[in-house]
Amino acid sequence: MTEPVPSFRFSHTFSVVEADIDELNHANNVVYVRWVQETAGAHWLTAFPPGEREQYVWVVMEHRVRYHKPALLGQELRGTTWIGEVRGAQCQRFVRIERAADGVLLCEAETQWVLLDPVTQRPKRVTPEVERRLRVAVG
């Protein structure tokens, strides 16, 4: 999973909790997808504060997830995300999930998001201003 266009990388940390753990005693694969979405959402909410984000709605068109190592109960993780190619109403986003303690890669994902108009629920072109704000340092 490579990044075609340079972009700011946004990171946040979170912990593996009991509800994340499956019968194999590690975080379930579905939980990783939730963390991917939460990492992307945290970046969006930081880049576009209340009063600015309400005119946009993002939906997932496709997730591609590669699992490398398990996440275990109580571990602190770091989700890092950045923007790739933006085309029309679509935006490619990358997410890496690592153990915060040693930076070991647990999971990497590429997601295609589609921007919608909140009223019509129809695709809405990603403007150069929206793209710029997603690519610059926030927080």
Side-chain angles (χ1 to χ4, degrees), residues 33-51:
V33 173
R34 187 186 82 222
W35 291 335
V36 165
Q37 290 192 194
E38 287 174 354
T39 300
H43 179 217
W44 173 256
L45 295 176
T46 303
F48 285 80

Side-chain angles (χ1 to χ4, degrees), residues 9 13-14 28 40 50 57 67 73-74 76 80 89-90 116 124 127:
R9 283 169 162 65
T13 58
F14 50 93
N28 187 279
V57 173
Y67 303 97
L73 181 64
E76 185 174 347
T80 302
Q90 293 184 32
L116 301 180
K124 177 179 181 171
T127 66

Side-chain angles (χ1 to χ4, degrees), residues 19-128:
D20 300 331
I21 302 301
D22 64 16
E23 64 278 356
L24 299 174
N25 288 321
H26 57 68
N28 187 279
N29 292 0
V30 174
V31 173
Y32 280 94
V33 173
R34 187 186 82 222
W35 291 335
V36 165
Q37 290 192 194
E38 287 174 354
T39 300
H43 179 217
W44 173 256
L45 295 176
T46 303
F48 285 80
E52 297 182 25
R53 64 177 80 122
E54 292 78 11
Q55 60 187 316
Y56 308 99
V57 173
W58 289 99
V59 295
V60 171
M61 185 170 84
E62 176 184 28
H63 282 300
R64 288 182 24 197
V65 181
R66 180 171 291 139
Y67 303 97
H68 295 281
K69 301 241 185 232
L72 305 175
L73 181 64
Q75 289 180 329
E76 185 174 347
L77 307 181
R78 179 177 45 255
T80 302
T81 186
W82 64 96
I83 299 301
E85 183 180 4
V86 175
R87 220 178 49 244
Q90 293 184 32
C91 181
Q92 177 186 42
R93 182 181 281 277
F94 298 93
V95 175
R96 290 174 57 92
I97 298 173
E98 304 166 331
R99 280 194 311 245
D102 58 10
V104 167
L105 177 64
L106 305 182
C107 171
E108 57 186 332
E110 176 186 338
T111 303
Q112 286 293 330
W113 291 84
V114 177
L115 184 63
L116 301 180
D117 179 288
V119 175
T120 66
Q121 299 291 296
R122 305 275 304 149
K124 177 179 181 171
R125 179 172 289 280
V126 178
T127 66

